[in-house]
Amino acid sequence: MTQTGLTRYTGSWRGRALCAASILALMTALPSTLALAQGLPGYNLYGSPGLIDMPTAGPAPDATLATTVSRFGDTTRATLNFQITPRLSGSFRYSAIENFPAPGNVNGRYFDRSFDLRYELLTETQTLPAITVGLQDFIGTGLYGGEYLVATKELVPGLRVTGGLGWGRLGSYGAIGDTGDRPAELLGQGGVPTYDRWFRGDVAPFGGVSYSPNKSLTFKLEYSSDDYVQESTTGQFDRESPWNYGIDYRFNNGNQLSLYHVYGTEVGAQFTLFTNPKRAQVPGGTETAPLPVAVRSPAAVQDLGWTTDSAATSANAKSALKSSLEREGLVLEALKLEPRRATIRLRNPRYGAAPQAIGRTARAMSRVLPASVEEFVIVPVVNGMAMSAVSIQRSDLEALENDAATEMLAKARILDGYNMAPAPEAGLYPRFTWAFNPYIALSAFDPDNPVRADAGVRLKADYRVLPNLVLSGAVTKKIGGNLDDVTRNDPSGLPRVRTDYAKYSKEGDPAIEHLTLAAYGRPGKNLYSRVTLGYLEEMYAGASGELLWKQVGSPLALGVELNFVKQRDYDQMLGLRDYEVLTGHASAYYDFGNGFHGQLDVGRYLAGDYGATVALDREFANGWRVGAFATFTDVSYDDFGEGSFDKGIRLSIPLGWVLGQPSRQANNAEIKSLTRDGGARLNVDGRLYEQVRDYHRPELAKTWGKFWR
């Protein structure tokens, strides 16, 4: 039996309300987003660079994210493909085959999940072809399992020729030899690497040609080495010929529409949508320009006359600076004014790129502070915690305004903000905020219904008793949906710590989504802390504590989290169930550079299992993140159930990229092929690392180009 894999969308209230907008923007990328549309390859029915059903060599432009939906005969495939590096790409595919009586068949349909990897061994030159090696369905049941080595070369402009050798499915027709024995059965649980099959068994040639008379049209002819044995013998697929024919139409924004005649009997169609996180929807953004830096006269620099009435001058400067920053969408919480130095406590609710907030703050300071003040110390605070302290010499600000931002970064000093932020001024706290907005909860990959969703409204409120003490709650009311229709019961040797979500959806209407009291702190230099008490998430209540160590200039951070929780009643009100668990992790975070970031969590999970989660993300300066994770615990594959271990893909789409306006909000999606009880973690808000890293030097350096924006 298969359990649903949840696709989670998280973020602030505005982020959730605009989730649909960002997904729409992702799927219908504007032409400006795909300036390299001419460099896009054709994509095949598997959602990878290819001809019709066979692969071709060569990558897509770096960081291309492609979503393909294809249909032919009784087969429907949906694939997400990402160009991870200039040479390496990966795919996640979800397929539905009708009239296919295999184990796991539901109402005549068989659903399959699979992962691919492909790597460019040789880049095409004037004399040499591109050569790519690929693993198809290397983590899955093996239904689409196959490996290939393929070469592609453009002979004359528009005419490309492809030839390759395939194993597995791609070696099942017209074999010319073999490379040993290859297991043929489908893997019952799936989800594990099929390394014992790679490049083994019969090997067969495939190939084809494509011709593009212009930028929009491509005609294709292909010889396929896939015999479709499973579909032909157990289903209703009739394969009469190895020859496939097709035509691609490329829209101006790069998206691809394809029509095919395949295997002598079937007609197929597919649509491929592209975007590229490296290219903004609105390059540069549409926000208003900041005020220019006010340049002092040499004589005014030495004037300290204002210090005879420093209290009045400080009050006037604070009022003027506060008004100026409010127009920029920033909040001045405190100002400490000295003859040669000004230190401010800054809250940034608007700018996703922290250097943009710092740059606009520095400009505003240059316009209102006495001319003798040479050093600007800007201390951003998040949840009452001082992050870094950015020290800028005013003379550098004046001299470098029209130079590259990197020049300013070289001059700035970025320090630990511990004990450097002045106390917030009176009247700012307590502070109450609230929001009323729609929400959507999605579920994917349930065999009875591949896509499920609940939709409703959420009332959320935060009461900040102190800058670092937050009382927060949210209540939801479902308007409609079918998440509670999941009826499959897949018993395992584990407590049902996540797989009862259908009961929570059915009985939790209305529901207290969370009700917590969170305290944040700076217990010492390089240290950050969080303690959260209450109803922590939809399924668990209890206490959560966290301590993070991170030096302001280091790519490494270390953290530890400990939680004691009890399972909540299904109605998601105030009652609790009997199940309780002590769970926690030690974590290491590392910025590898070149846009790659890794995380390792080791500890105990909600079901009481012990293990580790490893995650790798590719991150972009505009806030985009695309990554994958996998969790391995001491739970056996049999006890875990279908999927064998927890794994998934995660995306973070910044709203600023979608809207062209500065925003600290993002839509975060976690796509899991299955939701199981093994390797499950607590979903508690306010974890420290993502709050802290934005204001430390490695992350500031990535987006420092926004300093003068």
Side-chain angles (χ1 to χ4, degrees):
M1 299 293 183
T2 306
Q3 294 288 346
T4 306
L6 289 182
T7 303
R8 294 185 176 274
Y9 290 90
T10 60
S12 65
W13 68 269
R14 190 181 179 205
R16 298 191 187 206
L18 291 176
C19 179
S22 64
I23 296 298
L24 180 62
L26 167 65
M27 294 294 96
T28 59
L30 298 176
S32 60
T33 305
L34 289 169
L36 297 180
Q38 295 182 23
L40 289 169
Y43 279 64
N44 63 18
L45 289 163
Y46 281 101
S48 296
L51 290 165
I52 299 169
D53 210 25
M54 297 291 104
T56 55
D62 184 36
T64 296
L65 187 64
T67 301
T68 295
V69 178
S70 65
R71 170 78 179 184
F72 71 98
D74 290 335
T75 299
T76 301
R77 299 173 187 153
T79 306
L80 183 69
N81 178 277
F82 181 58
Q83 192 67 40
I84 303 168
T85 70
R87 290 179 180 268
L88 178 68
S89 67
S91 300
F92 170 66
R93 182 181 308 102
Y94 186 62
S95 306
I97 308 174
E98 299 175 8
N99 303 307
F100 189 72
N105 181 294
V106 178
N107 298 324
R109 291 182 298 173
Y110 176 75
F111 293 91
D112 186 79
R113 295 161 296 277
S114 54
F115 294 86
D116 301 352
L117 281 177
R118 48 182 281 144
Y119 184 79
E120 184 186 32
L121 296 173
L122 183 66
T123 300
E124 183 177 356
T125 66
Q126 288 187 347
T127 56
L128 296 175
I131 299 177
T132 295
V133 62
L135 300 175
Q136 185 171 285
D137 193 5
F138 77 101
I139 297 180
T141 61
L143 173 64
Y144 289 128
E147 303 80 48
Y148 56 87
L149 185 66
V150 60
T152 298
K153 182 75 177 72
E154 186 173 48
L155 300 182
V156 297
L159 178 63
R160 302 184 66 79
V161 176
T162 292
L165 295 174
W167 288 259
R169 282 190 71 114
L170 304 183
S172 58
Y173 180 84
I176 57 175
D178 69 80
T179 54
D181 296 331
R182 182 187 185 100
E185 75 280 358
L186 296 183
L187 300 179
Q189 300 290 1
V192 296
T194 56
Y195 54 84
D196 60 332
R197 308 180 181 205
W198 297 346
F199 299 99
R200 295 185 181 181
D202 291 344
V203 56
F206 62 86
V209 297
S210 66
Y211 176 64
S212 302
N214 55 50
K215 296 178 181 179
S216 299
L217 290 175
T218 300
F219 299 94
K220 297 179 176 181
L221 169 65
E222 171 188 271
Y223 174 84
S224 171
S225 58
D226 189 342
D227 201 26
Y228 276 78
V229 176
Q230 293 279 354
E231 292 85 347
S232 298
T233 58
T234 62
Q236 297 184 6
F237 184 84
D238 188 11
R239 185 190 189 282
E240 294 184 354
S241 170
W243 294 98
N244 301 326
Y245 313 87
I247 181 172
D248 296 341
Y249 180 79
R250 181 82 67 186
F251 295 91
N252 288 336
N253 62 1
N255 295 338
Q256 172 188 320
L257 175 64
S258 305
L259 297 175
Y260 303 127
H261 185 269
V262 295
Y263 299 108
T265 59
E266 305 291 346
V267 173
Q270 76 177 56
F271 191 54
T272 304
L273 303 160
F274 298 92
T275 194
N276 193 311
K278 294 171 69 173
R279 296 169 181 82
Q281 295 283 72
V282 184
T286 60
E287 66 269 28
T288 57
L291 293 171
V293 173
V295 180
R296 301 164 293 173
S297 68
V301 172
Q302 303 303 322
D303 184 3
L304 294 173
W306 64 271
T307 59
T308 60
D309 191 4
S310 60
T313 302
S314 179
N316 291 334
K318 183 187 297 182
S319 177
L321 184 57
K322 186 175 183 179
S323 297
S324 180
L325 291 179
E326 283 178 353
R327 289 192 292 271
E328 302 286 0
L330 298 166
V331 179
L332 175 68
E333 291 201 343
L335 167 66
K336 180 182 178 182
L337 189 59
E338 301 171 89
R340 299 296 184 185
R341 178 192 295 119
T343 304
I344 73 165
R345 179 188 182 100
L346 178 70
R347 182 157 50 86
N348 170 27
R350 183 182 184 193
Y351 297 95
Q356 189 170 10
I358 293 167
R360 293 195 172 214
T361 300
R363 288 171 183 255
M365 294 173 75
S366 78
R367 302 185 68 83
V368 303
L369 297 183
S372 68
V373 177
E374 169 62 15
E375 183 182 8
F376 296 164
V377 181
I378 302 168
V379 186
V381 294
V382 179
N383 282 322
M385 297 180 294
M387 299 287 118
S388 58
V390 182
S391 174
I392 297 171
Q393 297 300 306
R394 190 171 184 172
S395 54
D396 291 335
L397 196 71
E398 295 167 344
L400 299 174
E401 182 178 19
N402 297 314
D403 292 348
T406 52
E407 298 292 329
M408 194 68 234
L409 177 61
K411 296 288 187 179
R413 292 192 305 146
I414 303 174
L415 311 169
D416 189 338
Y418 177 66
N419 280 344
M420 293 188 67
E425 64 181 41
L428 288 177
Y429 299 92
R431 180 164 58 90
F432 178 76
T433 58
W434 67 278
F436 183 73
N437 57 277
Y439 79 88
I440 184 169
L442 298 179
S443 165
F445 315 127
D446 176 5
D448 292 329
N449 192 340
V451 179
R452 295 182 185 272
D454 280 351
V457 292
R458 173 187 293 110
L459 177 63
K460 180 181 178 182
D462 290 338
Y463 183 70
R464 293 187 174 269
V465 184
L466 298 171
N468 65 332
L469 188 63
V470 187
L471 179 63
S472 178
V475 177
T476 59
K477 177 68 178 77
K478 184 168 65 175
I479 296 176
N482 60 354
L483 282 181
D484 55 359
D485 289 344
V486 179
T487 58
R488 288 178 168 249
N489 183 15
D490 188 5
S492 70
L494 298 174
R496 297 183 68 87
V497 295
R498 285 299 181 199
T499 49
D500 278 339
Y501 59 85
K503 295 180 180 179
Y504 283 93
S505 175
K506 183 176 182 178
E507 299 186 28
D509 184 26
I512 299 174
E513 191 174 53
H514 75 272
L515 181 61
T516 59
L517 179 65
Y520 300 87
R522 292 293 314 267
K525 188 176 181 181
N526 302 324
L527 292 176
Y528 304 81
S529 66
R530 172 188 60 82
V531 176
T532 308
L533 306 173
Y535 295 84
L536 303 174
E537 51 142 290
E538 294 94 332
M539 296 187 186
Y540 291 92
S544 173
E546 183 183 5
L547 184 67
L548 179 75
W549 173 88
K550 189 178 188 308
Q551 292 180 324
V552 73
S554 173
L556 173 69
L558 301 173
V560 61
E561 178 181 294
L562 188 64
N563 314 290
F564 177 74
V565 294
K566 294 195 70 171
Q567 204 166 42
R568 296 178 60 185
D569 279 347
Y570 297 134
D571 63 4
Q572 296 180 68
M573 301 307 282
L574 300 179
L576 300 175
R577 306 184 71 231
D578 291 337
Y579 183 76
E580 62 184 41
V581 63
L582 181 67
T583 176
H585 289 79
S587 301
Y589 313 84
Y590 195 80
D591 189 336
F592 292 101
N594 297 318
F596 286 92
H597 185 275
Q599 180 176 338
L600 175 66
D601 303 297
V602 180
R604 193 181 195 216
Y605 296 83
L606 285 172
D609 45 333
Y610 291 88
T613 299
V614 60
L616 182 66
D617 296 278
R618 184 168 181 191
E619 304 177 335
F620 302 87
N622 58 21
W624 260 88
R625 297 179 191 176
V626 182
F629 64 91
T631 298
F632 305 92
T633 74
D634 56 0
V635 174
S636 69
Y637 290 163
D638 289 338
D639 283 342
F640 184 92
E642 186 174 355
S644 300
F645 63 94
D646 191 44
K647 53 193 170 295
I649 297 168
R650 56 191 188 187
L651 304 173
S652 183
I653 309 170
L655 288 187
W657 182 89
V658 177
L659 303 176
Q661 286 286 325
S663 174
R664 291 197 60 78
Q665 299 161 25
N667 290 322
N668 302 312
E670 184 178 282
I671 304 171
K672 299 172 68 171
S673 59
L674 295 164
T675 292
R676 308 291 298 174
D677 296 310
R681 291 192 66 179
L682 189 70
N683 298 322
V684 61
D685 284 339
R687 285 191 166 111
L688 295 170
Y689 180 69
E690 292 301 329
Q691 301 180 56
V692 172
R693 68 179 296 216
D694 282 353
Y695 293 94
H696 281 198
R697 188 178 185 93
E699 202 67 19
L700 289 174
K702 295 177 186 177
T703 56
W704 196 264
K706 285 278 192 178
F707 182 87
W708 292 122
R709 285 288 301 168

